[in-house]
Amino acid sequence: VSSQDKIEQTPPSLSIQAGENITMTCRYAVSNFRGLQWYRQYPGKGPSILLAMYSKGEEKQERRFRAILEKEHSNLHILASQPGDSGTYFCAVE
């Protein structure tokens, strides 16, 4: 990642109510894009990967988590969220 590369995530943090459908967005502008991953981290634990995508237009779903990779952003959807979904979510670009 060079100094010109930019990654922005919205919302930066959120609190989850059970049953909600939630969408987070990761916007990126990087010079040499190779892939994007979404992670979840619980307090006091290391991050665990939820979904990884490597080509534009790719869509992945793992249980109630669904992500789509677009040209300059990715959306992570949490469907019918549950109390255990609370945690910190973040994206990483390689």
Side-chain angles (χ1 to χ4, degrees), residues 1-8 27-34 93-94:
V1 178
S2 77
S3 59
Q4 282 76 43
D5 293 342
K6 292 183 172 52
I7 302 171
E8 179 187 33
R27 299 187 188 285
Y28 62 91
V30 297
S31 51
N32 189 16
F33 179 85
R34 291 199 297 271
V93 173
E94 62 177 278

Side-chain angles (χ1 to χ4, degrees), residues 12-27:
S13 63
L14 54 85
S15 59
I16 294 175
Q17 306 292 324
E20 286 183 325
N21 290 337
I22 293 163
T23 300
M24 282 167 275
T25 301
C26 180
R27 299 187 188 285

Side-chain angles (χ1 to χ4, degrees), residues 34-39 49 51-54 90-94:
R34 291 199 297 271
L36 180 144
Q37 297 87 37
W38 281 100
Y39 292 86
I49 191 163
L51 298 162
M53 295 164 293
Y54 298 97
F90 60 93
C91 61
V93 173
E94 62 177 278

